[in-house]
Amino acid sequence: MTELLSRARDGDEEAFAALVAPHRRELHVHCYRTLGSLQDAEDALQEILLAAWRGLAGFESRSSLRTWLYRIATNHCLNLMRSAGRRPRSNEPRPDYLLPEATPSPSTEPWWLEPYPDLFLDELPDAAPGPEARYEQRESISLAFVTALQLLPPRQRAALILRDVLGFRASEVAEILESSEESVTSALKRARAGLAETADEPAPSTEVEDELLTRLIAAFEAYDIDGIVALLSDDVRFAMPPLPFEYCGLPAVTRVFSVSAALDSPPRRRLVPTRANRQPAFGLYVEDPGTGRFRATGVWVLTVAGDRIVELTRFETSLLPLFGMPRTLSVG
């Protein structure tokens, strides 16, 4: 590392790329947890690496390179969250295609939330979080956890991620946040209290989730409404960020899936399985009668508790390329 650092300081871009390569994916995930948006994380990482390149002369090796990079990344994300008008709330009227059962999402709902592909998570280094970590890796990337993080004030959010998710020591968190250990401890206490109110039950096994996804795909493609409903919990929720509307409860969600099945000639559908946030997910494609091709209509992520689906979250098609999925399918 010493040689790479010396060459990078002398302006060798390839040496700098090799120097930060082991940290790129974990920094990307850090930005995602903090900002709640995959596309925001993409943009932020590029700006963070540019800032690191420009500021490399100021790295004095008093802390590890990893800690120094997290300091740049965290403070960049904090600045983004402070930026006025970063995420202007949509004032569009209620879409015509929503059913009467659709209710406004809670005002605190992070409508900018996006899923994170498991294929990116698989690129994370094998090193376990530090000894101060309080959350399992799978739990700390779930949609529920990332959503709960977005409801915390920025500095509380940053302190909790650094300490309880990544396992940095209190002194390291204070250094990263350019604060005192007392301030970090206070922020962390408030963050833990706020997060405790939204704590979820432990996630089921991957095998259970995969079985539910397989059954849902079969029922979805066959327009088997009873088969779909049998997989859902009584208090199931169907959300559609960034639209500020949702369907809550089994009757409302059943009605959503029943509408298309009631058409005289419902279009064929194909579901392509994937995973996001260590949860089952799929890309939904609907046949275009004019071309016979299947066009993507969104990325869906399932949240499972026990042996039932408790939440379905549909995201926009712009995320498909990041999941390695095409916008159209040619299916016989």
Side-chain angles (χ1 to χ4, degrees), residues 120-138:
F120 288 174
L121 294 172
D122 292 340
E123 297 173 3
L124 284 171
D126 292 334
E132 304 297 336
R134 295 173 55 146
Y135 292 96
E136 297 291 336
Q137 291 188 16
R138 172 171 164 146

Side-chain angles (χ1 to χ4, degrees), residues 28 32 36-43 110-120 143 239-243 272 274-277 281-285 296-301 313-328:
H28 190 257
Y32 169 72
S37 162
L38 176 57
Q39 296 181 92
D40 282 358
E42 290 272 304
D43 295 340
W111 57 269
W112 59 86
L113 186 71
E114 293 175 341
Y116 198 91
D118 273 24
L119 59 91
F120 288 174
L143 274 183
M240 303 163 285
L243 289 177
V272 178
T274 185
R275 289 190 67 84
N277 299 77
F282 60 85
L284 174 60
Y285 294 79
T297 64
V299 178
W300 295 50
V301 182
T313 311
R314 176 202 172 277
F315 298 96
E316 295 182 326
T317 57
S318 59
L319 298 170
L320 280 165
L322 295 171
F323 281 83
M325 290 187 286
R327 293 186 181 275
T328 62

